[in-house]
Amino acid sequence: MRHYLSELDLTADEFRGILQRGSELRKQWEAGTLTATLPHRVLGMIFEKSSTRTRVSFEAGMTQLGGHAIYLSPDNTQLGRGEPLADTAKVLSQMVDAVTIRTFSQESVERFAEVSTIPVINALTDLLHPCQLLADMQTYLDHRGDISGKKVAWIGDGNNVCNSYINTAKLLGFQLYVACPDGFEPDAEVLEEAGDAVIRTTEAAEACADADLIVTDVWASMGQEQEQKSRELAFAAYEVTPELMGLASEDALFMHCLPAHRGEEVAAEVIDGPQSVVWEEAGNRLHAQKALLEFLLNEQH
Ligand code: CP
Ligand code: NVA
C-alpha cells in the first residue's frame, strides 16, 4: 500500500509512468474510449480549504473510471465538531478505498496516513501540492517532450506549489531557478534536499533568461488573505510580464496552477497569450490524477 503525500513518495520511473498513463487516459477520454478501470471503488475527499479544480477533477475522474467520490468538508462532517483526524482516518479506512486530503499542515496529512490502512493522497497542504505537479509535468511532456535538462523559472512566492516544483526538479532532473523576494523563500528543508537542482535568486530576469518554462502562482495563498496588501508591495517586481517572457527561450511555455490574479502575479497578455498552456494544465488534473488513482488502487506495490 502506497501514499502520495509528496512527489518524493514516487521514484522517477513511477512518476514518469503516471505521466505516460495520464496522456493515454486523455487520448481515450477525447476519443470516447475510456474503460472502467476502478469499478465500485470509492474515494473519500476531505477538503478543509476551498477548491474548484482538485475537487472536480477527482470527483469526475472517479465517476469516469466506474467508481464514486464523496466530498467531505468540516462544515458537514464531525471533523468540524472536533473529531480527531486520526479517528476519521480509521473510520474511513473501513468504508472507502482511498482518501484525498486538502488541509493546512503537512503533518496532518502525514498523521492521517500513519493510521490509515488505505492510500492517502495530498490534495494540497501549506507545504506541497503534489497533484498539481503531475498535471504540470504531463502538460510539459505533451507539448515539448522530456523535461529533464530543461531550465524552469519559478517567479514569485516560495509557496506550496514552488516547494513541489523543487521536489520535482530533483526527481526528474531539470534545472529550477526560484526567483522570490527575501523573506518569501521556499521551505528550507525542501530546498536543502534538492541540492543543485535548484538555484535561488531575487532577480526574476535571471530566472527567466533562456528558460523553457515559466511558472508562477498567487502572491497570497489560502490562509494568507490578510497579508494580501503587504504581499502586493513585496512582490511588485515579480509580475510575469510580456517583457519577462521575452527573455525566455522562443518556444517557452507559461504555466499557473490557477486561480490567477491578472495584473498581480501575471499580466493578462501572458496568461491569455499564445505561450500560455494554463487551460490544458488545468484539464490535465483530471487525467493525471486518474492515472495516480489507478497506480495507487490497481497496481501491486
Ligand atoms: N490548482 C488548484 O489546485 O486549484 P483548486 O484550488 O481550484 O483545486
Ligand atoms: N498557492 C495556492 C495554490 C492554490 C491551488 C494556495 O495554496 O492557495
Side-chain angles (χ1 to χ4, degrees):
M1 205 254 306
R2 299 277 294 275
H3 302 299
Y4 186 56
L5 310 184
S6 154
E7 295 77 9
L8 302 179
D9 288 341
L10 298 175
T11 66
D13 282 351
E14 288 170 341
F15 197 100
R16 289 199 179 95
I18 290 171
L19 302 187
Q20 291 291 353
R21 177 64 180 154
S23 293
E24 208 173 279
L25 286 168
R26 180 175 53 74
K27 287 180 198 132
Q28 289 181 8
W29 184 70
E30 286 167 356
T33 59
L34 268 182
T35 52
T37 53
L38 296 175
H40 311 300
R41 301 297 192 92
V42 180
L43 177 69
M45 306 191 301
I46 299 173
F47 279 87
E48 299 193 317
K49 291 176 173 176
S50 304
S51 171
T52 298
R53 280 144 287 269
T54 308
R55 177 191 174 175
V56 175
S57 53
F58 270 119
E59 194 162 334
M62 282 303 290
T63 303
Q64 289 168 12
L65 296 182
H68 180 71
I70 306 172
Y71 176 72
L72 302 159
S73 89
D75 297 339
N76 53 29
T77 62
Q78 300 291 3
L79 276 170
R81 296 181 59 251
E83 184 165 15
L85 259 186
D87 289 4
T88 308
K90 287 181 199 157
V91 172
L92 292 185
S93 292
Q94 310 296 313
M95 298 177 179
V96 300
D97 299 282
V99 174
T100 64
I101 312 178
R102 169 169 287 198
T103 189
F104 295 85
S105 84
Q106 181 75 9
E107 290 70 34
S108 297
V109 177
E110 283 166 7
R111 251 186 295 124
F112 194 102
E114 266 166 33
V115 295
S116 167
T117 57
I118 55 174
V120 178
I121 299 169
N122 179 354
L124 180 146
T125 61
D126 291 345
L127 186 72
L128 296 172
H129 193 3
C131 291
Q132 185 66 49
L133 265 289
L134 289 174
D136 285 23
M137 294 299 105
Q138 188 187 319
T139 307
Y140 193 89
L141 181 71
D142 287 348
H143 281 267
R144 297 282 184 267
D146 192 0
I147 199 164
S148 62
K150 301 287 183 184
K151 177 176 176 180
V152 178
W154 175 272
I155 308 299
D157 191 17
N159 65 12
N160 42 11
V161 182
C162 176
N163 290 329
S164 278
Y165 262 89
I166 294 172
N167 278 345
T168 311
K170 175 187 155 84
L171 193 65
L172 299 187
F174 57 84
Q175 183 67 69
L176 179 67
Y177 279 67
V178 173
C180 56
D182 289 334
F184 298 93
E185 295 88 356
D187 181 80
E189 259 179 58
V190 171
L191 203 51
E192 165 90 28
E193 179 81 5
D196 57 13
V198 181
I199 295 171
R200 199 245 147 176
T201 171
T202 52
E203 301 300 319
E206 182 192 348
C208 290
D210 301 318
D212 300 291
L213 169 63
I214 296 184
V215 197
T216 190
D217 187 13
V218 290
W219 291 338
S221 285
M222 289 181 276
Q224 298 171 333
E225 289 79 6
Q226 71 294 347
E227 296 172 31
Q228 175 68 30
K229 286 285 159 227
S230 59
R231 283 173 168 262
E232 279 174 26
L233 293 174
F235 287 104
Y238 294 84
E239 178 179 357
V240 180
T241 56
E243 292 69 37
L244 270 188
M245 288 300 296
L247 301 175
S249 133
E250 215 173 303
D251 69 346
L253 298 176
F254 171 79
M255 291 191 198
H256 187 312
C257 64
L258 305 177
H261 293 176
R262 289 170 177 77
E264 290 182 28
E265 75 274 7
V266 61
E269 302 94 294
V270 172
I271 193 168
D272 300 318
Q275 287 169 284
S276 170
V277 288
V278 297
W279 311 121
E280 291 97 317
E281 180 188 2
N284 278 333
R285 298 293 305 277
L286 176 68
H287 313 298
Q289 287 160 203
K290 281 196 281 201
L292 173 69
L293 288 163
E294 285 186 354
F295 173 84
L296 293 174
L297 289 172
N298 283 351
E299 288 182 29
Q300 296 296 319
H301 302 292

mmCIF file of all heavy atoms in Angstrom, residues 30-64:
data_model
loop_
_atom_site.group_PDB
_atom_site.id
_atom_site.type_symbol
_atom_site.label_atom_id
_atom_site.label_comp_id
_atom_site.label_asym_id
_atom_site.label_seq_id
_atom_site.Cartn_x
_atom_site.Cartn_y
_atom_site.Cartn_z
ATOM 1 N N GLU A 30 -10.728 11.808 -24.922
ATOM 2 C CA GLU A 30 -11.074 12.591 -26.118
ATOM 3 C C GLU A 30 -11.741 11.721 -27.172
ATOM 4 O O GLU A 30 -12.640 12.166 -27.892
ATOM 5 C CB GLU A 30 -9.810 13.258 -26.694
ATOM 6 C CG GLU A 30 -9.356 14.431 -25.839
ATOM 7 C CD GLU A 30 -7.955 14.940 -26.178
ATOM 8 O OE1 GLU A 30 -7.264 14.335 -27.049
ATOM 9 O OE2 GLU A 30 -7.548 15.928 -25.564
ATOM 10 N N ALA A 31 -11.295 10.466 -27.277
ATOM 11 C CA ALA A 31 -11.848 9.555 -28.298
ATOM 12 C C ALA A 31 -13.126 8.868 -27.819
ATOM 13 O O ALA A 31 -13.764 8.133 -28.578
ATOM 14 C CB ALA A 31 -10.789 8.509 -28.658
ATOM 15 N N GLY A 32 -13.465 9.061 -26.554
ATOM 16 C CA GLY A 32 -14.660 8.406 -26.009
ATOM 17 C C GLY A 32 -14.472 6.915 -25.802
ATOM 18 O O GLY A 32 -15.427 6.142 -25.871
ATOM 19 N N THR A 33 -13.217 6.505 -25.524
ATOM 20 C CA THR A 33 -12.954 5.065 -25.385
ATOM 21 C C THR A 33 -12.461 4.685 -23.985
ATOM 22 O O THR A 33 -11.830 3.631 -23.810
ATOM 23 C CB THR A 33 -11.899 4.600 -26.425
ATOM 24 O OG1 THR A 33 -10.696 5.360 -26.208
ATOM 25 C CG2 THR A 33 -12.380 4.814 -27.848
ATOM 26 N N LEU A 34 -12.737 5.533 -22.989
ATOM 27 C CA LEU A 34 -12.303 5.217 -21.615
ATOM 28 C C LEU A 34 -12.950 3.930 -21.137
ATOM 29 O O LEU A 34 -14.123 3.684 -21.428
ATOM 30 C CB LEU A 34 -12.753 6.328 -20.668
ATOM 31 C CG LEU A 34 -11.842 7.500 -20.366
ATOM 32 C CD1 LEU A 34 -12.517 8.408 -19.362
ATOM 33 C CD2 LEU A 34 -10.489 7.039 -19.843
ATOM 34 N N THR A 35 -12.204 3.135 -20.377
ATOM 35 C CA THR A 35 -12.812 1.935 -19.786
ATOM 36 C C THR A 35 -12.854 2.085 -18.266
ATOM 37 O O THR A 35 -12.064 2.839 -17.685
ATOM 38 C CB THR A 35 -12.021 0.661 -20.165
ATOM 39 O OG1 THR A 35 -10.655 0.884 -19.835
ATOM 40 C CG2 THR A 35 -12.159 0.353 -21.648
ATOM 41 N N ALA A 36 -13.750 1.349 -17.644
ATOM 42 C CA ALA A 36 -13.946 1.465 -16.195
ATOM 43 C C ALA A 36 -12.869 0.654 -15.472
ATOM 44 O O ALA A 36 -13.041 -0.525 -15.211
ATOM 45 C CB ALA A 36 -15.334 0.983 -15.816
ATOM 46 N N THR A 37 -11.759 1.308 -15.163
ATOM 47 C CA THR A 37 -10.657 0.596 -14.506
ATOM 48 C C THR A 37 -10.771 0.616 -12.974
ATOM 49 O O THR A 37 -9.998 -0.050 -12.292
ATOM 50 C CB THR A 37 -9.300 1.210 -14.917
ATOM 51 O OG1 THR A 37 -9.355 2.613 -14.662
ATOM 52 C CG2 THR A 37 -8.998 0.965 -16.394
ATOM 53 N N LEU A 38 -11.723 1.400 -12.443
ATOM 54 C CA LEU A 38 -11.894 1.440 -10.975
ATOM 55 C C LEU A 38 -13.360 1.177 -10.594
ATOM 56 O O LEU A 38 -13.962 1.957 -9.836
ATOM 57 C CB LEU A 38 -11.446 2.802 -10.428
ATOM 58 C CG LEU A 38 -9.965 3.177 -10.593
ATOM 59 C CD1 LEU A 38 -9.706 4.601 -10.126
ATOM 60 C CD2 LEU A 38 -9.073 2.202 -9.824
ATOM 61 N N PRO A 39 -13.929 0.067 -11.089
ATOM 62 C CA PRO A 39 -15.354 -0.169 -10.822
ATOM 63 C C PRO A 39 -15.619 -0.362 -9.327
ATOM 64 O O PRO A 39 -14.867 -1.066 -8.650
ATOM 65 C CB PRO A 39 -15.665 -1.449 -11.610
ATOM 66 C CG PRO A 39 -14.340 -2.114 -11.784
ATOM 67 C CD PRO A 39 -13.318 -1.023 -11.858
ATOM 68 N N HIS A 40 -16.680 0.263 -8.852
ATOM 69 C CA HIS A 40 -17.142 0.138 -7.459
ATOM 70 C C HIS A 40 -16.147 0.664 -6.436
ATOM 71 O O HIS A 40 -16.339 0.462 -5.238
ATOM 72 C CB HIS A 40 -17.506 -1.321 -7.118
ATOM 73 C CG HIS A 40 -18.395 -1.951 -8.131
ATOM 74 N ND1 HIS A 40 -19.635 -1.452 -8.436
ATOM 75 C CD2 HIS A 40 -18.207 -3.020 -8.943
ATOM 76 C CE1 HIS A 40 -20.179 -2.196 -9.377
ATOM 77 N NE2 HIS A 40 -19.334 -3.157 -9.725
ATOM 78 N N ARG A 41 -15.075 1.314 -6.887
ATOM 79 C CA ARG A 41 -14.132 1.880 -5.917
ATOM 80 C C ARG A 41 -14.653 3.239 -5.461
ATOM 81 O O ARG A 41 -15.265 3.973 -6.238
ATOM 82 C CB ARG A 41 -12.746 2.067 -6.532
ATOM 83 C CG ARG A 41 -12.139 0.776 -7.043
ATOM 84 C CD ARG A 41 -11.915 -0.225 -5.911
ATOM 85 N NE ARG A 41 -11.080 -1.307 -6.376
ATOM 86 C CZ ARG A 41 -9.752 -1.334 -6.273
ATOM 87 N NH1 ARG A 41 -9.106 -0.367 -5.689
ATOM 88 N NH2 ARG A 41 -9.075 -2.344 -6.741
ATOM 89 N N VAL A 42 -14.363 3.561 -4.204
ATOM 90 C CA VAL A 42 -14.870 4.821 -3.639
ATOM 91 C C VAL A 42 -13.710 5.643 -3.071
ATOM 92 O O VAL A 42 -12.834 5.108 -2.373
ATOM 93 C CB VAL A 42 -15.923 4.556 -2.536
ATOM 94 C CG1 VAL A 42 -16.437 5.874 -1.954
ATOM 95 C CG2 VAL A 42 -17.096 3.740 -3.100
ATOM 96 N N LEU A 43 -13.714 6.932 -3.415
ATOM 97 C CA LEU A 43 -12.701 7.865 -2.922
ATOM 98 C C LEU A 43 -13.356 8.836 -1.947
ATOM 99 O O LEU A 43 -14.352 9.478 -2.277
ATOM 100 C CB LEU A 43 -12.119 8.654 -4.114
ATOM 101 C CG LEU A 43 -11.094 9.740 -3.796
ATOM 102 C CD1 LEU A 43 -9.782 9.134 -3.303
ATOM 103 C CD2 LEU A 43 -10.829 10.596 -5.046
ATOM 104 N N GLY A 44 -12.815 8.939 -0.734
ATOM 105 C CA GLY A 44 -13.273 9.961 0.222
ATOM 106 C C GLY A 44 -12.415 11.205 0.017
ATOM 107 O O GLY A 44 -11.198 11.100 -0.119
ATOM 108 N N MET A 45 -13.036 12.388 -0.015
ATOM 109 C CA MET A 45 -12.276 13.617 -0.293
ATOM 110 C C MET A 45 -12.514 14.635 0.815
ATOM 111 O O MET A 45 -13.566 15.256 0.888
ATOM 112 C CB MET A 45 -12.727 14.221 -1.624
ATOM 113 C CG MET A 45 -12.671 13.249 -2.802
ATOM 114 S SD MET A 45 -12.912 14.104 -4.377
ATOM 115 C CE MET A 45 -14.514 14.836 -4.130
ATOM 116 N N ILE A 46 -11.506 14.794 1.682
ATOM 117 C CA ILE A 46 -11.612 15.757 2.790
ATOM 118 C C ILE A 46 -11.031 17.095 2.336
ATOM 119 O O ILE A 46 -9.850 17.164 1.968
ATOM 120 C CB ILE A 46 -10.849 15.254 4.030
ATOM 121 C CG1 ILE A 46 -11.445 13.921 4.511
ATOM 122 C CG2 ILE A 46 -10.857 16.301 5.141
ATOM 123 C CD1 ILE A 46 -10.643 13.272 5.628
ATOM 124 N N PHE A 47 -11.846 18.135 2.346
ATOM 125 C CA PHE A 47 -11.381 19.466 1.948
ATOM 126 C C PHE A 47 -11.580 20.441 3.089
ATOM 127 O O PHE A 47 -12.701 20.782 3.428
ATOM 128 C CB PHE A 47 -12.135 19.955 0.702
ATOM 129 C CG PHE A 47 -11.584 19.390 -0.583
ATOM 130 C CD1 PHE A 47 -12.030 18.173 -1.066
ATOM 131 C CD2 PHE A 47 -10.611 20.071 -1.294
ATOM 132 C CE1 PHE A 47 -11.508 17.637 -2.240
ATOM 133 C CE2 PHE A 47 -10.085 19.552 -2.473
ATOM 134 C CZ PHE A 47 -10.535 18.332 -2.943
ATOM 135 N N GLU A 48 -10.469 20.893 3.686
ATOM 136 C CA GLU A 48 -10.532 21.914 4.737
ATOM 137 C C GLU A 48 -10.231 23.310 4.181
ATOM 138 O O GLU A 48 -10.147 24.269 4.943
ATOM 139 C CB GLU A 48 -9.583 21.558 5.881
ATOM 140 C CG GLU A 48 -9.983 20.219 6.518
ATOM 141 C CD GLU A 48 -9.304 19.931 7.838
ATOM 142 O OE1 GLU A 48 -8.083 20.172 7.954
ATOM 143 O OE2 GLU A 48 -9.992 19.458 8.751
ATOM 144 N N LYS A 49 -9.990 23.373 2.850
ATOM 145 C CA LYS A 49 -9.807 24.655 2.159
ATOM 146 C C LYS A 49 -10.634 24.591 0.874
ATOM 147 O O LYS A 49 -10.987 23.496 0.431
ATOM 148 C CB LYS A 49 -8.333 24.850 1.766
ATOM 149 C CG LYS A 49 -7.360 25.081 2.902
ATOM 150 C CD LYS A 49 -5.938 25.165 2.333
ATOM 151 C CE LYS A 49 -4.916 25.552 3.386
ATOM 152 N NZ LYS A 49 -3.542 25.537 2.821
ATOM 153 N N SER A 50 -10.851 25.750 0.258
ATOM 154 C CA SER A 50 -11.648 25.804 -0.977
ATOM 155 C C SER A 50 -10.961 25.064 -2.116
ATOM 156 O O SER A 50 -9.730 24.884 -2.106
ATOM 157 C CB SER A 50 -11.817 27.258 -1.425
ATOM 158 O OG SER A 50 -12.396 28.001 -0.398
ATOM 159 N N SER A 51 -11.740 24.684 -3.122
ATOM 160 C CA SER A 51 -11.172 24.057 -4.313
ATOM 161 C C SER A 51 -12.187 24.033 -5.440
ATOM 162 O O SER A 51 -13.363 23.776 -5.209
ATOM 163 C CB SER A 51 -10.750 22.618 -4.012
ATOM 164 O OG SER A 51 -10.386 21.955 -5.211
ATOM 165 N N THR A 52 -11.732 24.294 -6.638
ATOM 166 C CA THR A 52 -12.543 24.047 -7.835
ATOM 167 C C THR A 52 -11.939 22.865 -8.593
ATOM 168 O O THR A 52 -12.550 21.803 -8.721
ATOM 169 C CB THR A 52 -12.571 25.307 -8.742
ATOM 170 O OG1 THR A 52 -13.166 26.362 -8.003
ATOM 171 C CG2 THR A 52 -13.370 25.044 -10.014
ATOM 172 N N ARG A 53 -10.709 23.045 -9.091
ATOM 173 C CA ARG A 53 -10.074 22.049 -9.951
ATOM 174 C C ARG A 53 -9.852 20.705 -9.264
ATOM 175 O O ARG A 53 -10.156 19.646 -9.831
ATOM 176 C CB ARG A 53 -8.699 22.562 -10.452
ATOM 177 C CG ARG A 53 -8.773 23.516 -11.599
ATOM 178 C CD ARG A 53 -7.697 24.576 -11.480
ATOM 179 N NE ARG A 53 -8.056 25.484 -10.412
ATOM 180 C CZ ARG A 53 -8.767 26.605 -10.603
ATOM 181 N NH1 ARG A 53 -9.066 26.995 -11.802
ATOM 182 N NH2 ARG A 53 -9.129 27.364 -9.579
ATOM 183 N N THR A 54 -9.298 20.741 -8.066
ATOM 184 C CA THR A 54 -8.906 19.483 -7.418
ATOM 185 C C THR A 54 -10.143 18.656 -7.084
ATOM 186 O O THR A 54 -10.197 17.452 -7.374
ATOM 187 C CB THR A 54 -8.080 19.788 -6.151
ATOM 188 O OG1 THR A 54 -7.028 20.687 -6.521
ATOM 189 C CG2 THR A 54 -7.498 18.531 -5.558
ATOM 190 N N ARG A 55 -11.145 19.313 -6.535
ATOM 191 C CA ARG A 55 -12.363 18.581 -6.187
ATOM 192 C C ARG A 55 -13.042 18.015 -7.437
ATOM 193 O O ARG A 55 -13.381 16.836 -7.495
ATOM 194 C CB ARG A 55 -13.339 19.510 -5.455
ATOM 195 C CG ARG A 55 -14.615 18.769 -5.178
ATOM 196 C CD ARG A 55 -15.737 19.622 -4.693
ATOM 197 N NE ARG A 55 -16.942 18.796 -4.604
ATOM 198 C CZ ARG A 55 -18.086 19.207 -4.125
ATOM 199 N NH1 ARG A 55 -18.205 20.435 -3.681
ATOM 200 N NH2 ARG A 55 -19.127 18.408 -4.106
ATOM 201 N N VAL A 56 -13.225 18.865 -8.443
ATOM 202 C CA VAL A 56 -13.980 18.419 -9.626
ATOM 203 C C VAL A 56 -13.208 17.338 -10.383
ATOM 204 O O VAL A 56 -13.791 16.355 -10.850
ATOM 205 C CB VAL A 56 -14.326 19.616 -10.541
ATOM 206 C CG1 VAL A 56 -15.007 19.145 -11.815
ATOM 207 C CG2 VAL A 56 -15.228 20.602 -9.789
ATOM 208 N N SER A 57 -11.878 17.495 -10.485
ATOM 209 C CA SER A 57 -11.110 16.500 -11.244
ATOM 210 C C SER A 57 -11.116 15.147 -10.543
ATOM 211 O O SER A 57 -11.247 14.103 -11.201
ATOM 212 C CB SER A 57 -9.688 16.991 -11.515
ATOM 213 O OG SER A 57 -9.048 17.387 -10.323
ATOM 214 N N PHE A 58 -10.997 15.117 -9.221
ATOM 215 C CA PHE A 58 -11.043 13.823 -8.530
ATOM 216 C C PHE A 58 -12.442 13.204 -8.617
ATOM 217 O O PHE A 58 -12.584 12.000 -8.841
ATOM 218 C CB PHE A 58 -10.636 13.960 -7.052
ATOM 219 C CG PHE A 58 -9.157 13.789 -6.827
ATOM 220 C CD1 PHE A 58 -8.386 14.808 -6.281
ATOM 221 C CD2 PHE A 58 -8.527 12.582 -7.139
ATOM 222 C CE1 PHE A 58 -7.016 14.642 -6.074
ATOM 223 C CE2 PHE A 58 -7.157 12.407 -6.932
ATOM 224 C CZ PHE A 58 -6.409 13.448 -6.401
ATOM 225 N N GLU A 59 -13.454 14.052 -8.442
ATOM 226 C CA GLU A 59 -14.820 13.521 -8.428
ATOM 227 C C GLU A 59 -15.217 13.023 -9.827
ATOM 228 O O GLU A 59 -15.720 11.898 -9.980
ATOM 229 C CB GLU A 59 -15.778 14.615 -7.935
ATOM 230 C CG GLU A 59 -17.131 14.078 -7.574
ATOM 231 C CD GLU A 59 -17.941 15.045 -6.690
ATOM 232 O OE1 GLU A 59 -17.351 15.864 -5.964
ATOM 233 O OE2 GLU A 59 -19.170 14.960 -6.747
ATOM 234 N N ALA A 60 -14.955 13.853 -10.843
ATOM 235 C CA ALA A 60 -15.282 13.446 -12.216
ATOM 236 C C ALA A 60 -14.445 12.229 -12.609
ATOM 237 O O ALA A 60 -14.944 11.290 -13.245
ATOM 238 C CB ALA A 60 -15.024 14.605 -13.176
ATOM 239 N N GLY A 61 -13.165 12.244 -12.212
ATOM 240 C CA GLY A 61 -12.269 11.141 -12.567
ATOM 241 C C GLY A 61 -12.747 9.809 -12.025
ATOM 242 O O GLY A 61 -12.757 8.798 -12.730
ATOM 243 N N MET A 62 -13.156 9.793 -10.762
ATOM 244 C CA MET A 62 -13.645 8.536 -10.176
ATOM 245 C C MET A 62 -14.887 8.040 -10.924
ATOM 246 O O MET A 62 -15.012 6.859 -11.213
ATOM 247 C CB MET A 62 -13.966 8.713 -8.683
ATOM 248 C CG MET A 62 -12.771 8.726 -7.766
ATOM 249 S SD MET A 62 -11.714 7.257 -7.867
ATOM 250 C CE MET A 62 -12.728 5.975 -7.143
ATOM 251 N N THR A 63 -15.791 8.958 -11.227
ATOM 252 C CA THR A 63 -17.019 8.556 -11.940
ATOM 253 C C THR A 63 -16.663 8.007 -13.324
ATOM 254 O O THR A 63 -17.190 6.971 -13.745
ATOM 255 C CB THR A 63 -17.969 9.771 -12.081
ATOM 256 O OG1 THR A 63 -18.229 10.265 -10.775
ATOM 257 C CG2 THR A 63 -19.270 9.388 -12.751
ATOM 258 N N GLN A 64 -15.752 8.695 -14.025
ATOM 259 C CA GLN A 64 -15.395 8.254 -15.379
ATOM 260 C C GLN A 64 -14.742 6.873 -15.382
ATOM 261 O O GLN A 64 -14.826 6.144 -16.370
ATOM 262 C CB GLN A 64 -14.457 9.277 -16.025
ATOM 263 C CG GLN A 64 -15.179 10.574 -16.378
ATOM 264 C CD GLN A 64 -14.229 11.695 -16.736
ATOM 265 O OE1 GLN A 64 -13.036 11.466 -16.949
ATOM 266 N NE2 GLN A 64 -14.742 12.909 -16.792
#
